[in-house]
Structure formats: structure tokens, C-alpha cells
Amino acid sequence: TAPLWGGLHYAQVTHNTTQTVATGSSTALAFNNDIVDAQGWHDPVSNNSRITAGVTGYYIAAVWLEYAGAGGSPTTYWDTIEIRKNGTVWYDSRKLQQIDVFNKKFCITTPLISMTAGQYVEVWLEQNSGGTRTVQSGCTFALWRVS
């Protein structure tokens, strides 16, 4: 398959609806639409939280998401956004405290990730607000092979 995006193999996916995350849970985000996926790294139906490396190499992953705020005046809970390899090994995370009522937009990128063909990355959210939290539609997730 021919390289894309400045000579790099690349996949970018999005989700066209909101997704909720229950309190006290760790949840992988779903992505049901491909923006760019010429190499077939993402399936928008089966395991759609994953972007899977097509070949062994070094990769960078990034997520751009909008997280809905919580009502009231939160003071004690935490929300965590992580990019994980194979569901367990996290490469970058952002821990958030006291999310107010306004929606927040975040961009998280990883350092270089060594991946073999068939390994995958996902975006995971964890929160303990006492209620559900909402990720807005239109969030995007991408994986680039850099070498």
C-alpha cells in the first residue's frame, strides 16, 4: 500500500455520536467512522476502539476530544484520559480535576511507540464523578507510522 500524508502511513478515525462513561469505570472510546484508513488499520464496526499497526515499526498516536462538563461545583473527583497499547500499557495520560460545567477540549499525543504488526492503540477514559460523563461527537483519533 502506498504511504500517505507526507510519506507516512496514517489512519484517522472519528465518532459521529456522543459516548457516556459510567462513574468508577474505565472505558475504551468507540470510533465508528474512518476519515483516512487506506491501510485498513481500523474497523468501524468490530473492535472499533482500536487502530491496529499494519507493520512493525515506530508510531505516534494522538486524540482530539471534547469532554462535557459536570454540573455543580466538583471538587474531589478525577477524570483520566489515556492512550493505551494493547488495552493495558499506557503511553500518555492526562489527569483532570474539578471539571466545571463547560465543555473542555483536549489533545493528547504519545511519544514514539514501538509496535509490531497486529498490536493496537486505544483511547481510554476513567472517571469517578458519581454520575455519567459524556464525550461529544466528532472526536478524532489518529495513528502515524514514522519509521
Side-chain angles (χ1 to χ4, degrees):
T1 303
L4 298 174
W5 198 75
L8 301 178
H9 290 127
Y10 171 71
Q12 184 175 2
V13 299
T14 189
H15 198 64
N16 67 359
T17 188
T18 60
Q19 182 174 348
T20 58
V21 177
T23 190
S25 70
S26 188
T27 303
L29 283 187
F31 296 93
N32 64 356
N33 289 300
D34 295 339
I35 297 171
V36 174
D37 187 23
Q39 286 79 31
W41 294 354
H42 178 258
D43 184 331
V45 177
S46 177
N47 291 321
N48 68 355
S49 62
R50 301 174 180 183
I51 301 177
T52 302
V55 297
T56 298
Y58 290 95
Y59 292 80
I60 294 175
V63 62
W64 300 266
L65 63 88
E66 184 175 352
Y67 207 44
S73 300
T75 58
T76 60
Y77 60 81
W78 290 86
D79 296 79
T80 303
I81 304 166
E82 296 179 341
I83 296 176
R84 295 182 186 177
K85 181 172 92 173
N86 291 345
T88 57
V89 180
W90 65 269
Y91 277 85
D92 196 11
S93 71
R94 177 146 320 159
K95 197 169 278 277
L96 315 166
Q97 187 178 24
Q98 301 179 8
I99 301 291
D100 58 27
V101 297
F102 301 103
N103 288 2
K104 305 294 185 202
K105 295 181 181 181
F106 299 98
C107 177
I108 298 174
T109 60
T110 66
L112 286 177
I113 303 172
S114 176
M115 297 177 73
T116 58
Q119 292 184 320
Y120 61 89
V121 289
E122 297 172 298
V123 178
W124 284 77
L125 301 179
E126 186 174 306
Q127 61 96 7
N128 66 349
S129 67
T132 60
R133 306 283 281 180
T134 302
V135 177
Q136 303 299 87
S137 64
C139 297
T140 61
F141 180 38
L143 182 68
W144 296 266
R145 181 173 174 251
V146 296
S147 71

